[in-house]
Amino acid sequence: DVYKRQRIHNDDLDLDDAFYNELIPLTREYVKLMNREHNSSLAQIAQYAGWLNVQDDALWAVLEKKIVEERLYRYFPSDDLCKVAHAVAVAKRGSPAFWKILETEIIKNRLLLRDDDLEFAGDAFKRSKQGSPLLLRVLEACLLYT
């Protein structure tokens, strides 16, 4: 399932009716079953849904429920957290609660982030217009000292 989305993204294929009528409903049901043991798959689904600019409210609601309400963000590696933030921003998604949690986690884990992670996070919060001035200063400072 994640592989299909990766191929669609990498090959720049169109998101047609089959994608929205077949793949997205299957993905929603798959995501509903996920728990902390599926952190990598959940992160990849969120990433590719965002980078493909998927506009399916039900899918985004399920993803946000898993990431925010069920707190599965706690099991994402720091680099995945930054990529998820970027992808969600690309799709113009994410509630204020989602962005607040990601901001807190990124600030808390800032010393673990590599340059590309910092760039993903910085771009995500600039696109979403959800980042606090503190977060933007922290990301900028981290990039200066890496």
Side-chain angles (χ1 to χ4, degrees):
D1 201 33
V2 172
Y3 176 72
K4 289 177 190 174
R5 263 180 297 298
Q6 197 172 23
R7 286 292 310 264
I8 291 168
H9 177 263
N10 293 344
D11 294 342
D12 199 26
L13 300 176
D14 291 330
L15 306 183
D16 59 8
D17 289 340
F19 178 84
Y20 279 100
N21 295 330
E22 295 174 28
L23 188 59
I24 293 297
L26 288 171
T27 302
R28 278 194 309 261
E29 294 306 311
Y30 181 58
V31 169
K32 287 177 186 177
L33 301 174
M34 291 183 159
N35 59 39
R36 69 182 184 185
E37 301 298 323
H38 306 104
N39 63 337
S40 180
S41 295
L42 180 62
Q44 286 184 352
I45 288 171
Q47 289 167 28
Y48 285 105
W51 291 331
L52 289 168
N53 199 20
V54 172
Q55 296 301 317
D56 184 87
D57 293 336
L59 175 63
W60 286 107
V62 171
L63 285 167
E64 186 150 333
K65 180 179 188 285
K66 287 291 179 179
I67 294 169
V68 176
E69 291 176 30
E70 295 182 25
R71 300 175 47 164
L72 294 183
Y73 67 87
R74 298 176 301 162
Y75 304 101
F76 288 177
S78 299
D79 61 328
D80 278 347
L81 204 60
C82 294
K83 289 175 186 168
V84 167
H86 185 263
V88 171
V90 166
K92 297 179 175 66
R93 296 295 180 144
S95 68
F98 171 86
W99 289 107
K100 184 64 180 162
I101 286 170
L102 264 60
E103 177 173 335
T104 302
E105 289 299 306
I106 288 169
I107 288 173
K108 184 169 64 174
N109 294 303
R110 69 190 175 278
L111 298 177
L112 300 173
L113 301 177
R114 299 177 312 226
D115 285 355
D116 58 331
D117 302 330
L118 295 166
E119 289 171 7
F120 274 123
D123 189 49
F125 282 94
K126 286 176 186 166
R127 284 176 185 254
S128 69
K129 298 179 177 43
Q130 296 288 328
S132 70
L134 171 65
L135 171 74
L136 298 176
R137 281 196 310 271
V138 165
L139 292 173
E140 204 172 281
C142 287
L143 274 170
L144 289 174
Y145 294 108
T146 57

